[in-house]
Amino acid sequence: MHDAHGVRLQPASDLTYLHGGYGELPVALEQALEGKAPGESVRLQLEPQDAFGEYDADLLRVEPAERYGEGIAAGMEVEEDERFYTVSEVAAGKVVLDGNHPLAGMALRFFLHIVGVRIAKAEEIRRGVSLPQGE
């Protein structure tokens, strides 16, 4: 995965997912993979609204640091009000929490090569996720 300028955001890796709208991939990415077979490739750029959404400044919160105890640091995640927040800054007795996805507001480029396609197991469909082979 790369940003719109071609800067690699994540190293290439194998990915297994359950196709069919289970939420493991952005909808537009899953649609681009629809009907692809092993050996095929997909190159795709997703705009923020089709990837992880636009950046929403309303999802920033500033809270007193003592609320989170000793050891709170930038990069940590906290869960509040059924939402995960990333601690983006700790300074002057305050903690800045960001409820946006880390890739929100970014256009993303994907260069994908389909290695294999298989029928999902009943357990995978029941759970809504792809499971490692052998489970």
Side-chain angles (χ1 to χ4, degrees):
M1 178 172 43
H2 299 75
D3 69 12
H5 302 288
V7 175
R8 184 180 295 236
L9 301 173
Q10 186 175 334
S13 64
D14 289 343
L15 170 71
T16 301
Y17 78 100
L18 185 61
H19 192 82
Y22 292 90
E24 291 184 78
L25 297 178
V27 173
L29 182 55
E30 189 167 327
Q31 288 173 343
L33 292 168
E34 180 72 33
K36 299 295 184 223
E40 291 188 84
S41 294
V42 173
R43 296 173 63 95
L44 177 69
Q45 178 165 319
L46 297 182
E47 295 306 316
Q49 66 273 15
D50 295 322
F52 296 98
E54 298 289 350
Y55 189 85
D56 183 353
D58 290 337
L59 294 178
L60 288 176
R61 294 173 45 181
V62 178
E63 301 288 345
E66 66 264 9
R67 181 175 177 184
Y68 302 97
E70 300 254 346
I72 191 76
M76 295 176 83
E77 275 195 351
V78 297
E79 183 178 5
E80 292 194 4
D81 304 323
E82 299 182 18
R83 178 179 290 280
F84 285 95
Y85 291 87
T86 301
V87 176
S88 59
E89 188 176 342
V90 179
K94 302 285 184 190
V95 174
V96 178
L97 303 175
D98 188 343
N100 287 285
H101 187 282
L103 299 174
M106 297 178 69
L108 302 172
R109 290 182 182 170
F110 294 89
F111 306 99
L112 308 168
H113 180 74
I114 291 72
V115 176
V117 176
R118 64 176 174 80
I119 301 296
K121 300 173 192 162
E123 181 67 8
E124 292 174 311
I125 294 169
R126 187 182 71 73
R127 291 189 190 185
V129 298
S130 175
L131 298 171
Q133 292 291 341
E135 282 197 28

